[in-house]
Amino acid sequence: MRATKRIADATQESLHRIFTVAEAPDSTLGLLEQEMSQNLVGFLNNHIVASKNALTDIEQDFINPHIPEQPEFVSDHMHHLLDKLVAQSVHTSSPSFIGHMTSALPSFILPLSKLMVGLNQNLVKVETSKAFTPLERQVLGMMHNLVYQQDDHFYQNWMHSAEHSLGSFCSGGTVANITALWVARNKLLKAEGNFRGVSREGLHCAMRHYGYQDLAILVSDRGHYSLKKSADILGIGQENVIAIPTDEHNKIDCHKLADKCQQLAAQNVKVLAIVGVAGTTETGNIDPLDKMAKIAKQNQCHFHVDAAWGGATLLSNKYRPLLKGIEQADSVTIDAHKQMYVPMGAGLVIFKDPTSVSAIEHHAEYILRKGSKDLGSHTLEGSRPGMAMLVYASLHIISRPGYEMLINQAIEKAEYFAELITQHDDFELITRPELCLLTYRYAPKSVQVLLARNNTEANKSVNLLIGKLTKFIQKRQREDGRSFVSRTRIEVSRYGGEKVIVFRVVLANPLTTKEILQDILQQQCLLAQESENFLPELLRAAK
Ligand SMILES: *Cc1c(COP(=O)(O)O)cnc(C)c1O
């Protein structure tokens, strides 16, 4: 009995302490904090062990489903986190981690994130986010301006208007795409006569009212899977996301797009939206947005641009023209947590027309009252953190020319790497970088000669074998932990549109050097030699 009371008292006391007193500077957490704030890169280098543990091994560390019945000291728990979690994390900010869109963060982000978390504002409503709400609206305005370049008068009118919004800040590109298509759906199937709109009566009634056979979303076959998710939850159906073939540069074939529109119209299928991709996830290419805008206009459908990854290119005056036509889009998705060097959880969708969001407006009695400036009345998400502050700060601290430098240098580095690959006897460049993303594979000279000589049919087996080797090298390199490239399977027109396995590289980290890129190729050559079957078999085939 007494023991139970003692535990209760101790718990009570520690609860009070964790809400009122900071950990001592010489405690484990205090020391970690110092180390992190002095040198984040050093901290990560020190504490992330290039672990060769398989995921299934790591799972053994996270297998207990019981919520602890005894409080732990923060320091004890920190040791646990460091050993089990941090040590086995992925070093995404390492300059030799060039496989994904997630990369290094500028050092100011860490203390600012702490400030953001400390303030714990909830952007769903003004009552919990005074100052943060206007700030987020300004960020949406800045990003709107980046895409649409309206005059100051426009922004004075709309940026802080209760009934309008220039966009919707969200957790990422997926939610941004869903939001854009949600707006498109509700605008298309709006209230009319006795029909009170799809948002109130549902898709079934909407289709009956408008007399459409079906709805479709058109995007190139390089479109991101989040569009299928969107179609799924919006009741459109994944199979109604129609993939339009791409040309040899991975850009949508506009003739086929226009033909498809005609064909669907003849079947009484209404095209809900045409989606252009500005920076495809796999190859980094940009669709001909201006031509797509024209086709969307002709077919009177919503034109959305998924610039989740490539949108930041607009910050570069040099490369901005690659996205020409984006200003004709009805909506644009941009992820700040990709090429804008903001931590995970920052995406946006921007609407050309500030009244668009009224199509998805929701109200409630205790918050989001009509006429309030609550951001939550036109976001899919409810409670949301103040991530906009990090975008705001980054835009100020890095500035447009700073971003331009980062973007230009990344593209130029990708061009350098592509050149390196082309010059190297044992590598084959598969997709040339338009932005800072490229794909390639390991294929010794003699094999490349064989591929060039063979017809498509004969190349099938060779490509299959190279695919196995690519997979082998990529896995080994990941396990080795010193560097990382990702891999994907893409259709390659020079092999008759056959899907081949390739290395995929995203050059986002400003600290990645040319030497690192040279080393990565060298490592891959060595790893290829470790393959006991695939390489010898390939070389035999090429004899
Ligand atoms: C990353 C990406 C998305 C999805 O964004 P998340 O932030 O991962 O939800 C959508 N489209 C494209 C083109 C992307 O690159």
Side-chain angles (χ1 to χ4, degrees), residues 440-453:
Y440 68 104
R441 59 183 187 169
Y442 179 83
K445 186 89 184 171
S446 61
V447 177
Q448 290 186 53
V449 171
L450 175 75
L451 284 165
R453 207 172 51 214

Side-chain angles (χ1 to χ4, degrees), residues 30 203 220 224 238 291 438 503 539:
L203 206 51
S220 92
H224 191 265
Q238 295 192 30
K291 287 186 193 143
L438 61 87
F503 300 127
L539 294 173

Side-chain angles (χ1 to χ4, degrees), residues 58-79:
I58 299 177
E59 279 166 1
Q60 298 309 308
D61 292 330
F62 298 96
I63 206 156
N64 181 357
H66 301 291
I67 298 170
E69 278 297 329
Q70 278 233 358
E72 273 173 59
F73 287 111
V74 175
S75 287
D76 292 346
H77 186 61
M78 282 318 297
H79 284 294

Side-chain angles (χ1 to χ4, degrees), residues 339-490:
Q339 291 199 82
M340 288 178 71
Y341 301 92
V342 167
M344 218 68 58
L348 321 102
V349 55
I350 302 297
F351 294 102
K352 183 178 199 172
D353 173 1
T355 63
S356 285
V357 289
S358 64
I360 56 167
E361 204 164 277
H362 277 251
H363 296 285
E365 287 304 331
Y366 76 107
I367 52 162
L368 321 181
R369 293 175 202 100
K370 267 199 149 62
S372 80
K373 295 191 171 180
D374 294 342
L375 291 161
S377 55
H378 40 246
T379 54
L380 175 58
E381 288 159 271
S383 297
R384 255 178 339 98
M387 290 298 290
M389 173 185 139
L390 302 182
V391 181
Y392 179 84
S394 301
L395 286 169
H396 278 266
I397 295 169
I398 298 174
S399 82
R400 203 229 21 102
Y403 273 116
E404 163 143 30
M405 226 174 253
L406 288 167
I407 285 156
N408 294 0
Q409 286 169 4
I411 295 176
E412 281 141 26
K413 214 179 294 171
E415 283 165 357
Y416 167 81
F417 196 39
E419 195 49 38
L420 211 60
I421 291 164
T422 316
Q423 298 292 323
H424 200 299
D425 270 355
D426 293 339
F427 288 94
E428 181 189 11
L429 185 66
I430 300 291
T431 58
R432 198 156 273 292
E434 189 169 9
L435 298 176
C436 60
L437 203 165
L438 61 87
T439 63
Y440 68 104
R441 59 183 187 169
Y442 179 83
K445 186 89 184 171
S446 61
V447 177
Q448 290 186 53
V449 171
L450 175 75
L451 284 165
R453 207 172 51 214
N454 273 350
N455 61 23
T456 305
E457 201 46 41
N459 272 338
K460 269 203 174 122
S461 60
V462 183
N463 279 326
L464 218 60
L465 205 51
I466 303 179
K468 285 179 183 166
L469 181 61
T470 308
K471 207 167 145 183
F472 171 88
I473 297 171
Q474 195 265 349
K475 274 187 160 171
R476 278 287 167 96
Q477 194 163 19
R478 187 183 66 197
E479 284 161 12
D480 176 75
R482 272 174 299 169
S483 53
F484 174 78
V485 305
S486 58
R487 72 162 195 269
T488 186
R489 256 180 94 225
I490 53 170

Side-chain angles (χ1 to χ4, degrees), residues 101 171-177 222-227 277-281 306-310 333 335 337-338 344 346-347 504:
M101 291 167 175
S171 62
T174 301
V175 177
N177 282 340
R222 295 268 188 259
H224 191 265
Y225 64 84
S226 57
L227 297 169
V277 192
T280 67
T281 316
D306 183 359
W309 179 68
T333 287
D335 259 344
H337 64 213
K338 286 179 180 162
M344 218 68 58
R504 169 176 168 272

